[in-house]
Every structure is written in structure tokens, then in C-alpha cells.
Amino acid sequence: MQKNIIYKSLAATMVAAAFTACSVPGVVQKAENKNTPGSYTSTTVTDTTSTATVKWKEYFTDPNLQELINTALTNNQELNITLQEIEIAKSEVRARKGEYLPFVGVGAGADVTKASRYTTQGALERNIDIVDGKENPEPLQNYGASLRADWEIDVWGKLHNAKRAAVSRYLASVEGKNFMVTNLVAEIANSYYELLALDNQLQLVNQNIQIQTNALEIVKLQKESARVTELAVKRFQAQVLNTQSLQYEIKQKIVEAENRINFLVGRFPQPVKRSTDAFATLMPNIVKSGIPSQLLANRPDIKQAEMELAASKLDIKVAKARFYPSLSISGGLGYQAFNPSYLIKPQSIIYTLAGELAAPLINRNAIKAAYISANAKQVQAAYNYEQKILNAYIEVANQMSKIDNLQNSYSLKAQEVDALTQSINISNDLFKSARADYMEVLMTQRDALESKFDLIETKMQQMNAMVNIYRALGGGWN
């Protein structure tokens, strides 16, 4: 008999499902394109070694920089906020998992009721004896204790798919954290190298102030001997003042660079420990790009987009399952009596068992809207995934080209600095022998200073390119 009831229920479920499935809105999902070029250049590359697999402690060997990164990974507020978002996503997985398990609860209660004698209930209580021919107690007390369970049978996988979507979003949040770590490491390294460059520019300015001050004293002596006019003295003096002013501009930039690092590290403004002496001799690391398809496994932002895409596909299944009937079972078992001493008697046992089959039939606009919205979000997620891949490829290609061009540029600028440095001595000698105008001396000194500034700037750009290619390849989070 019970088997027949079960079979009839299942048959009714299938009939209702067939009826409702006919009217599920038709939408088109987008298949993501994972194809990438074979290499970052026009030549064929077969070396699959990628710098992205190098740990950041091995990539950045400066102990001061390592200390800053270590502190930031512990204290950075934005990173800690993201870690809490991961905990939220983990709790969402636990919540979704609980939805397809039975909900079991226990309860106990007591109440008292005084029914009017001139009502149906009161008349029945007056004329029916409950125990040993005794009249019902008045007012009538009621005590009970029960165990109750409710369970939605996940016929269409709606609840399981919702849990799997939550797991994918949890994994996406972890990859989001990794991507934040990658960017945090790169930002600290870039700011650190900028700070070293500013220190070297400040040293260069101080050296030039001394050189220009000595030149000013020489011009004053020449003016006393009537070899030059007061105009030459004023022009040399103006150049000294201009360079001194530049000194304070650089000092302000140093303060801002230090505080930018302090913010990333999660501490209040303080001096940043560093060594500036070796900046001119720093050499960028040799970078191995591997092949573009490795970006899909190495870049945290691409893996995050991939997890979000997987979740969006599962959301479609969840939304589609809402068109089908849902089957739920509920039951309870307990004791109930008007006297606590009767609760242990078998006659006080109560139980319920019920099954419910429900399917949306009319006014399903909310379900249709959720289903259409889930499909649109899946298309969005697919485009976002493709965009992340394209962006990663372009970032790597740009940085690789930048590394090559900066290397050539640095070599030429170094030669320019040597030539202009020699021209300073030549112009000074010519000026002393009255074979050169003082303006030639001033212009030569200014050009030499600018070229040295450019050389330091190019060195900083080289180091930044080394950092950015590491980030672009997906390194820094491990």
C-alpha cells in the first residue's frame, strides 16, 4: 500500500514537471573562448619556463624590501578586509549545504485553556471523561515535548547546485585575495624603487649645488678682475637658487613616497629603511615569460573570473529548477498530555507525517525574471573571463617590449651622461681662458643635470618594468 502511494506521488511529480518544463523561457548561453596566441612575439616560443612560479622572496632579494612586504601581508587593512570576505563566502557554502539536509528541531511547551461551557468545546469537555471516570480538569492544562523534521527532497539538484555555486564563489574570493596580494607586492616594490630613485636624485642635486656654488665663487672673482660683468654673476647665482629649490621639491616627493609605503604597510608615517648606495648598480632580473596559455593557470584574476563563470552557470540550473515542482516531507514525534505525569504513557504519543508537492502554475513572472537574469549574468561572466585573458596577454606583451626598449634607452642615456659630464670640464676650461661664453657653461651644466636625472628615471623604469612583468605573469601571491 505504501509503495503504491510512493509510486503515485512520483508519477504526479513527473507529470507536473513535464507540464511546467514546456513553458521554461528559451535563452542562449555564451561559451567562453579560452584560446590564446602561441607566443607573445611573432617568433615561436617553446620554453614553458615562467617567472610567475618564482616566489616573491626569491624574486625580490633586497632585505629591506622583503621586510616591508612581510609587514604589509600582515597589517594591510584592505587585504584584511578581503580575508573577512573569504570567511563570509565560506559561511555561505555552509549555509547552502545545510539547505539540502533535513532540518531537525526539538521543542517543549505548556499552556492552559478555560473553555466556555456553552461552546462546542466546553460541552464536549463536560460530557467526556478522560481518565478513570473523572471529570476533565478545569481549566484544562496541556504539556508537550516533540521532535520535528522538515526536508525538501532535492529532485532537480536545485539545492546541490546552489551549494556548488557557493563553493565556486568561495574559490573566486580566494583567488581575488591572491590577486590583491600580487598587486600589493608589486605596488610596494614599485614605490620602494621610486624612493631609491628619489634618494639618488637628491644626492645628485646636492652635488650639483656644491659644483654650481664653486662656479659662482669663481665668477665673482672674475668679475672683480673685470673679466666678466655683473650679469654673469647673477645668472650663475640664479642657477644655484634654482637647483636649491629643486632640492626641496625632491624632499617633498620623498616624504610622499615614504608615506605611500607606510599606508600600504598599514602603519603611521615613519622613515622607511632602505639602502640607496647600490641603486645605480641594480640590474633587473632576467624574466622568462613562458607561453600565453600559462596565464590561465598563473594569473589569480583569470582564475577568479573562471570560478565566477562556473558559479554563474550553476545559477542558471538553480533558476531553471524553480520552474519544476518541489517535493518536501515533514514529520514530528512527541508526547502530549494535560498532566505531566501522563507524558510517559504510550497513550500520550503523537506523530505527524506529511508530504507536499508544489509547482508554480500561474504568475511565474518572478521566476522567469530570475532565470533570464541568471542567463544574462552568465553571458557577462563569460565576457569578463575573456576580457581578463586578453588584458593579461596585452600587459605581458607591453612589459616585455618595455624591458627591451628601456635596456637600449638606458645604454644610450649613459653615454649621453658621460659626454655631458666631460663637456662640463671642457666648458669651464674654455670659460676660464675666455674662449667660451658664460651661457655655454650654464647650459652645459643644466643639460648634464637633466641627463643624469633622466638616467636615474630610466633606471627606476627598468626596475618598475621588472616588477610589472612579474605581476603581469601572475607572480607575487605565492
Short mmCIF file of all heavy atoms in Angstrom, two decimals, residues 280-323:
data_model
loop_
_atom_site.label_atom_id
_atom_site.label_comp_id
_atom_site.label_asym_id
_atom_site.label_seq_id
_atom_site.Cartn_x
_atom_site.Cartn_y
_atom_site.Cartn_z
N ALA A 280 72.30 52.63 -8.47
CA ALA A 280 72.85 52.79 -9.82
C ALA A 280 73.34 51.47 -10.40
O ALA A 280 73.39 51.30 -11.62
CB ALA A 280 73.98 53.81 -9.81
N THR A 281 73.70 50.54 -9.52
CA THR A 281 74.23 49.25 -10.00
C THR A 281 73.16 48.15 -10.03
O THR A 281 73.48 47.00 -10.34
CB THR A 281 75.39 48.80 -9.10
OG1 THR A 281 74.93 48.66 -7.75
CG2 THR A 281 76.53 49.81 -9.14
N LEU A 282 71.93 48.49 -9.68
CA LEU A 282 70.86 47.48 -9.71
C LEU A 282 70.64 46.99 -11.13
O LEU A 282 70.60 47.78 -12.08
CB LEU A 282 69.56 48.07 -9.16
CG LEU A 282 69.43 48.24 -7.65
CD1 LEU A 282 68.09 48.90 -7.31
CD2 LEU A 282 69.55 46.90 -6.93
N MET A 283 70.47 45.68 -11.25
CA MET A 283 70.21 45.09 -12.55
C MET A 283 68.87 44.35 -12.49
O MET A 283 68.65 43.55 -11.58
CB MET A 283 71.33 44.12 -12.95
CG MET A 283 72.66 44.79 -13.19
SD MET A 283 72.60 45.97 -14.58
CE MET A 283 72.27 44.85 -15.93
N PRO A 284 67.97 44.62 -13.42
CA PRO A 284 66.69 43.91 -13.41
C PRO A 284 66.88 42.42 -13.56
O PRO A 284 67.82 41.95 -14.22
CB PRO A 284 65.96 44.50 -14.64
CG PRO A 284 66.65 45.79 -14.92
CD PRO A 284 68.07 45.60 -14.50
N ASN A 285 65.99 41.65 -12.92
CA ASN A 285 66.06 40.19 -13.03
C ASN A 285 65.79 39.74 -14.46
O ASN A 285 65.05 40.38 -15.21
CB ASN A 285 65.03 39.54 -12.10
CG ASN A 285 65.32 39.83 -10.64
OD1 ASN A 285 66.45 40.14 -10.28
ND2 ASN A 285 64.31 39.72 -9.80
N ILE A 286 66.39 38.63 -14.82
CA ILE A 286 66.09 38.03 -16.12
C ILE A 286 64.71 37.38 -16.04
O ILE A 286 64.44 36.57 -15.16
CB ILE A 286 67.16 36.99 -16.50
CG1 ILE A 286 68.53 37.67 -16.63
CG2 ILE A 286 66.79 36.27 -17.78
CD1 ILE A 286 69.67 36.71 -16.88
N VAL A 287 63.84 37.76 -16.95
CA VAL A 287 62.45 37.31 -16.92
C VAL A 287 62.20 36.29 -18.01
O VAL A 287 62.61 36.48 -19.16
CB VAL A 287 61.48 38.51 -17.08
CG1 VAL A 287 60.03 38.02 -17.11
CG2 VAL A 287 61.68 39.50 -15.94
N LYS A 288 61.52 35.20 -17.64
CA LYS A 288 61.09 34.18 -18.59
C LYS A 288 59.57 34.19 -18.64
O LYS A 288 58.91 33.97 -17.63
CB LYS A 288 61.62 32.80 -18.19
CG LYS A 288 63.14 32.71 -18.24
CD LYS A 288 63.63 31.32 -17.93
CE LYS A 288 65.15 31.24 -18.03
NZ LYS A 288 65.65 29.86 -17.73
N SER A 289 59.04 34.48 -19.80
CA SER A 289 57.59 34.68 -19.92
C SER A 289 56.80 33.40 -20.08
O SER A 289 55.59 33.38 -19.82
CB SER A 289 57.31 35.60 -21.12
OG SER A 289 57.76 34.97 -22.32
N GLY A 290 57.45 32.31 -20.50
CA GLY A 290 56.69 31.10 -20.77
C GLY A 290 55.81 31.29 -21.99
O GLY A 290 56.12 32.04 -22.91
N ILE A 291 54.66 30.61 -22.02
CA ILE A 291 53.72 30.72 -23.13
C ILE A 291 52.42 31.32 -22.63
O ILE A 291 52.07 31.17 -21.45
CB ILE A 291 53.47 29.35 -23.80
CG1 ILE A 291 53.00 28.32 -22.76
CG2 ILE A 291 54.74 28.86 -24.48
CD1 ILE A 291 52.68 26.97 -23.36
N PRO A 292 51.67 32.01 -23.48
CA PRO A 292 50.46 32.73 -23.04
C PRO A 292 49.41 31.85 -22.35
O PRO A 292 48.71 32.32 -21.45
CB PRO A 292 49.92 33.33 -24.34
CG PRO A 292 51.12 33.50 -25.20
CD PRO A 292 52.00 32.34 -24.89
N SER A 293 49.28 30.58 -22.77
CA SER A 293 48.26 29.73 -22.16
C SER A 293 48.50 29.51 -20.68
O SER A 293 47.57 29.18 -19.93
CB SER A 293 48.19 28.38 -22.89
OG SER A 293 49.43 27.71 -22.80
N GLN A 294 49.75 29.71 -20.21
CA GLN A 294 50.04 29.55 -18.79
C GLN A 294 49.41 30.64 -17.94
O GLN A 294 49.28 30.48 -16.73
CB GLN A 294 51.56 29.54 -18.58
CG GLN A 294 52.25 28.30 -19.14
CD GLN A 294 53.76 28.37 -19.02
OE1 GLN A 294 54.38 29.35 -19.44
NE2 GLN A 294 54.35 27.34 -18.44
N LEU A 295 49.02 31.74 -18.57
CA LEU A 295 48.36 32.81 -17.82
C LEU A 295 47.07 32.32 -17.18
O LEU A 295 46.67 32.78 -16.11
CB LEU A 295 48.05 33.99 -18.75
CG LEU A 295 49.25 34.78 -19.29
CD1 LEU A 295 48.78 35.80 -20.32
CD2 LEU A 295 50.00 35.46 -18.16
N LEU A 296 46.39 31.36 -17.84
CA LEU A 296 45.13 30.86 -17.32
C LEU A 296 45.31 30.17 -15.98
O LEU A 296 44.38 30.14 -15.16
CB LEU A 296 44.48 29.89 -18.31
CG LEU A 296 43.65 30.51 -19.45
CD1 LEU A 296 44.50 31.36 -20.38
CD2 LEU A 296 42.96 29.41 -20.26
N ALA A 297 46.50 29.61 -15.75
CA ALA A 297 46.76 28.92 -14.50
C ALA A 297 47.50 29.78 -13.49
O ALA A 297 47.42 29.54 -12.29
CB ALA A 297 47.58 27.65 -14.77
N ASN A 298 48.23 30.81 -13.98
CA ASN A 298 49.08 31.60 -13.09
C ASN A 298 48.43 32.89 -12.61
O ASN A 298 48.70 33.33 -11.48
CB ASN A 298 50.40 31.94 -13.79
CG ASN A 298 51.24 30.71 -14.07
OD1 ASN A 298 51.13 29.71 -13.37
ND2 ASN A 298 52.08 30.78 -15.09
N ARG A 299 47.59 33.51 -13.42
CA ARG A 299 47.01 34.81 -13.05
C ARG A 299 45.82 34.60 -12.12
O ARG A 299 44.80 33.99 -12.49
CB ARG A 299 46.55 35.56 -14.29
CG ARG A 299 47.66 36.11 -15.15
CD ARG A 299 48.03 37.53 -14.83
NE ARG A 299 46.96 38.47 -14.92
CZ ARG A 299 47.10 39.74 -15.29
NH1 ARG A 299 48.29 40.18 -15.66
NH2 ARG A 299 46.09 40.57 -15.31
N PRO A 300 45.87 35.11 -10.88
CA PRO A 300 44.73 34.95 -9.96
C PRO A 300 43.45 35.60 -10.47
O PRO A 300 42.36 35.09 -10.21
CB PRO A 300 45.23 35.61 -8.67
CG PRO A 300 46.72 35.59 -8.76
CD PRO A 300 47.02 35.74 -10.22
N ASP A 301 43.56 36.74 -11.18
CA ASP A 301 42.34 37.40 -11.63
C ASP A 301 41.65 36.59 -12.71
O ASP A 301 40.40 36.58 -12.79
CB ASP A 301 42.64 38.82 -12.13
CG ASP A 301 43.66 38.84 -13.27
OD1 ASP A 301 44.50 37.93 -13.31
OD2 ASP A 301 43.60 39.75 -14.10
N ILE A 302 42.42 35.87 -13.54
CA ILE A 302 41.81 35.00 -14.55
C ILE A 302 41.13 33.81 -13.87
O ILE A 302 40.00 33.42 -14.23
CB ILE A 302 42.85 34.52 -15.57
CG1 ILE A 302 43.36 35.71 -16.39
CG2 ILE A 302 42.28 33.45 -16.49
CD1 ILE A 302 44.42 35.35 -17.41
N LYS A 303 41.79 33.23 -12.87
CA LYS A 303 41.19 32.10 -12.16
C LYS A 303 39.95 32.54 -11.38
O LYS A 303 38.98 31.79 -11.26
CB LYS A 303 42.22 31.46 -11.23
CG LYS A 303 43.35 30.75 -11.99
CD LYS A 303 44.17 29.88 -11.08
CE LYS A 303 45.08 30.69 -10.19
NZ LYS A 303 45.98 29.84 -9.37
N GLN A 304 39.99 33.77 -10.86
CA GLN A 304 38.82 34.30 -10.17
C GLN A 304 37.64 34.43 -11.14
O GLN A 304 36.51 34.04 -10.82
CB GLN A 304 39.15 35.67 -9.56
CG GLN A 304 37.97 36.30 -8.82
CD GLN A 304 38.30 37.69 -8.31
OE1 GLN A 304 39.27 38.31 -8.74
NE2 GLN A 304 37.50 38.19 -7.38
N ALA A 305 37.91 34.97 -12.33
CA ALA A 305 36.85 35.11 -13.34
C ALA A 305 36.34 33.74 -13.78
O ALA A 305 35.14 33.57 -14.05
CB ALA A 305 37.39 35.89 -14.54
N GLU A 306 37.23 32.76 -13.83
CA GLU A 306 36.82 31.40 -14.21
C GLU A 306 35.88 30.80 -13.16
O GLU A 306 34.87 30.17 -13.50
CB GLU A 306 38.06 30.52 -14.37
CG GLU A 306 37.75 29.10 -14.83
CD GLU A 306 38.99 28.25 -14.95
OE1 GLU A 306 40.07 28.70 -14.49
OE2 GLU A 306 38.90 27.14 -15.49
N MET A 307 36.19 31.00 -11.88
CA MET A 307 35.32 30.50 -10.81
C MET A 307 33.97 31.20 -10.81
O MET A 307 32.92 30.58 -10.58
CB MET A 307 36.01 30.69 -9.45
CG MET A 307 37.26 29.85 -9.23
SD MET A 307 36.93 28.07 -9.23
CE MET A 307 37.53 27.62 -10.85
N GLU A 308 33.98 32.50 -11.05
CA GLU A 308 32.72 33.24 -11.12
C GLU A 308 31.88 32.80 -12.31
O GLU A 308 30.64 32.75 -12.23
CB GLU A 308 33.01 34.74 -11.18
CG GLU A 308 33.57 35.30 -9.88
CD GLU A 308 34.03 36.73 -10.01
OE1 GLU A 308 34.11 37.22 -11.16
OE2 GLU A 308 34.31 37.37 -8.97
N LEU A 309 32.54 32.46 -13.42
CA LEU A 309 31.82 31.95 -14.58
C LEU A 309 31.19 30.60 -14.26
O LEU A 309 30.04 30.34 -14.63
CB LEU A 309 32.79 31.82 -15.76
CG LEU A 309 32.23 31.21 -17.05
CD1 LEU A 309 31.05 32.03 -17.57
CD2 LEU A 309 33.31 31.11 -18.11
N ALA A 310 31.92 29.73 -13.58
CA ALA A 310 31.37 28.43 -13.18
C ALA A 310 30.17 28.60 -12.27
O ALA A 310 29.16 27.89 -12.40
CB ALA A 310 32.46 27.60 -12.49
N ALA A 311 30.25 29.55 -11.35
CA ALA A 311 29.13 29.81 -10.44
C ALA A 311 27.91 30.32 -11.21
O ALA A 311 26.77 29.94 -10.91
CB ALA A 311 29.54 30.82 -9.37
N SER A 312 28.14 31.18 -12.21
CA SER A 312 27.01 31.72 -12.98
C SER A 312 26.31 30.63 -13.78
O SER A 312 25.08 30.66 -13.95
CB SER A 312 27.50 32.83 -13.91
OG SER A 312 28.33 32.31 -14.94
N LYS A 313 27.06 29.64 -14.26
CA LYS A 313 26.44 28.52 -14.97
C LYS A 313 25.56 27.70 -14.03
O LYS A 313 24.47 27.24 -14.41
CB LYS A 313 27.52 27.64 -15.60
CG LYS A 313 28.28 28.30 -16.74
CD LYS A 313 29.36 27.38 -17.29
CE LYS A 313 30.10 28.04 -18.45
NZ LYS A 313 31.18 27.16 -18.99
N LEU A 314 26.03 27.51 -12.81
CA LEU A 314 25.23 26.77 -11.83
C LEU A 314 24.00 27.56 -11.41
O LEU A 314 22.95 26.99 -11.13
CB LEU A 314 26.10 26.44 -10.61
CG LEU A 314 27.22 25.42 -10.87
CD1 LEU A 314 28.19 25.39 -9.71
CD2 LEU A 314 26.63 24.03 -11.10
N ASP A 315 24.14 28.89 -11.37
CA ASP A 315 22.98 29.73 -11.04
C ASP A 315 21.85 29.54 -12.04
O ASP A 315 20.67 29.61 -11.69
CB ASP A 315 23.40 31.20 -10.98
CG ASP A 315 24.23 31.53 -9.76
OD1 ASP A 315 24.18 30.75 -8.79
OD2 ASP A 315 24.94 32.55 -9.78
N ILE A 316 22.20 29.32 -13.30
CA ILE A 316 21.18 29.08 -14.33
C ILE A 316 20.42 27.80 -14.01
O ILE A 316 19.19 27.74 -14.10
CB ILE A 316 21.83 29.01 -15.72
CG1 ILE A 316 22.41 30.36 -16.12
CG2 ILE A 316 20.81 28.54 -16.76
CD1 ILE A 316 23.12 30.36 -17.45
N LYS A 317 21.15 26.76 -13.62
CA LYS A 317 20.50 25.50 -13.27
C LYS A 317 19.58 25.66 -12.07
O LYS A 317 18.49 25.09 -12.01
CB LYS A 317 21.55 24.43 -13.00
CG LYS A 317 22.38 24.05 -14.21
CD LYS A 317 23.38 22.95 -13.88
CE LYS A 317 24.19 22.55 -15.11
NZ LYS A 317 25.17 21.48 -14.79
N VAL A 318 20.03 26.44 -11.10
CA VAL A 318 19.21 26.69 -9.91
C VAL A 318 17.94 27.44 -10.30
O VAL A 318 16.83 27.10 -9.87
CB VAL A 318 20.01 27.49 -8.86
CG1 VAL A 318 19.11 27.91 -7.70
CG2 VAL A 318 21.18 26.66 -8.34
N ALA A 319 18.10 28.48 -11.13
CA ALA A 319 16.93 29.27 -11.54
C ALA A 319 15.97 28.42 -12.38
O ALA A 319 14.75 28.55 -12.26
CB ALA A 319 17.40 30.49 -12.33
N LYS A 320 16.52 27.55 -13.22
CA LYS A 320 15.67 26.70 -14.06
C LYS A 320 14.90 25.70 -13.22
O LYS A 320 13.74 25.38 -13.51
CB LYS A 320 16.53 25.98 -15.10
CG LYS A 320 15.74 25.23 -16.15
CD LYS A 320 16.66 24.65 -17.21
CE LYS A 320 15.87 23.95 -18.31
NZ LYS A 320 16.76 23.41 -19.37
N ALA A 321 15.52 25.18 -12.16
CA ALA A 321 14.86 24.19 -11.31
C ALA A 321 13.65 24.75 -10.58
O ALA A 321 12.77 24.00 -10.14
CB ALA A 321 15.87 23.62 -10.31
N ARG A 322 13.58 26.07 -10.45
CA ARG A 322 12.44 26.67 -9.75
C ARG A 322 11.15 26.55 -10.56
O ARG A 322 10.06 26.74 -10.03
CB ARG A 322 12.73 28.14 -9.44
CG ARG A 322 13.85 28.34 -8.43
CD ARG A 322 13.87 29.76 -7.89
NE ARG A 322 14.94 29.95 -6.93
CZ ARG A 322 16.09 30.54 -7.17
NH1 ARG A 322 16.31 31.02 -8.39
NH2 ARG A 322 17.01 30.68 -6.25
N PHE A 323 11.26 26.27 -11.86
CA PHE A 323 10.06 26.05 -12.67
C PHE A 323 9.43 24.69 -12.38
O PHE A 323 8.26 24.47 -12.69
CB PHE A 323 10.41 26.14 -14.17
CG PHE A 323 10.71 27.52 -14.65
CD1 PHE A 323 12.01 27.96 -14.77
CD2 PHE A 323 9.68 28.39 -14.97
CE1 PHE A 323 12.29 29.24 -15.22
CE2 PHE A 323 9.95 29.67 -15.43
CZ PHE A 323 11.26 30.10 -15.55
#
